Amino acid sequence: MLYHNPRGISCAKCHGENAKGKIIAKYYITKNNKKILKKIIAPNISNITFEKLKKTLFPKKDILTIMPKYSYLTENEVEAIYLYLKSKGKK
Ligand code: HEC
């Protein structure tokens, strides 16, 4: 439930139903008169470590990333998401 509705934008929207990651957006830039395709990708998170998950959800620095902050999630909720992601990683 938390993966789909973490009291904020759903993780599944960016990382996909199975947490295997997906392309969020595609755009072109022009360099030396050449059109180059760029992609914004939400990575596969089905094999992430608990530490990495926590660091990503509670970033220390106030830097701007595409990945939103979820600093309001409790320790138990992060653990629940972690266990859910692990179950996806096994498939
Ligand atoms: C708006 C799209 C978006 C949403 C919503 C989102 N993410 Fe992300 N996430 C990203 C992107 C893009 C990255 C890659 C790093 C970056 O560019 O910020 C990322 C990175 C991560 C990483 C680090 C992966 C790595 O290998 O470094 C984890 C873990 C993660 N997200 C978990 C989650 C969880 C759990 C949720 C829901 C609570 C969530 N994300 C919601 C877009 C999103």
Side-chain angles (χ1 to χ4, degrees):
M1 187 276 277
L2 281 165
Y3 183 72
H4 288 94
N5 183 17
R7 293 195 298 283
I9 178 166
S10 156
C11 314
K13 274 231 151 105
C14 292
H15 293 279
E17 274 307 311
N18 293 312
K20 304 284 188 204
K22 71 177 205 190
I23 297 166
I24 309 172
K26 287 182 188 168
Y27 60 97
Y28 287 96
I29 59 162
T30 316
K31 206 173 174 184
N32 302 328
N33 277 327
K34 274 194 193 135
K35 248 174 132 187
I36 300 165
L37 176 67
K38 292 276 195 179
K39 294 175 191 151
I40 298 175
I41 294 166
N44 180 346
I45 53 166
S46 63
N47 284 309
I48 211 81
T49 63
F50 185 66
E51 285 68 39
K52 179 84 199 178
L53 177 65
K54 254 187 101 171
K55 255 194 210 146
T56 311
L57 296 176
F58 308 145
K60 289 241 162 63
K61 277 185 248 140
D62 235 345
I63 42 166
L64 202 61
T65 54
I66 295 169
M67 167 68 206
K69 284 193 274 221
Y70 293 90
S71 323
Y72 50 80
L73 291 174
T74 67
E75 183 90 20
N76 282 345
E77 287 173 329
V78 177
E79 209 174 317
I81 293 172
Y82 173 68
L83 293 173
Y84 178 76
L85 291 174
K86 267 185 82 170
S87 77
K88 294 286 185 190
K90 285 197 191 99
K91 278 177 202 152

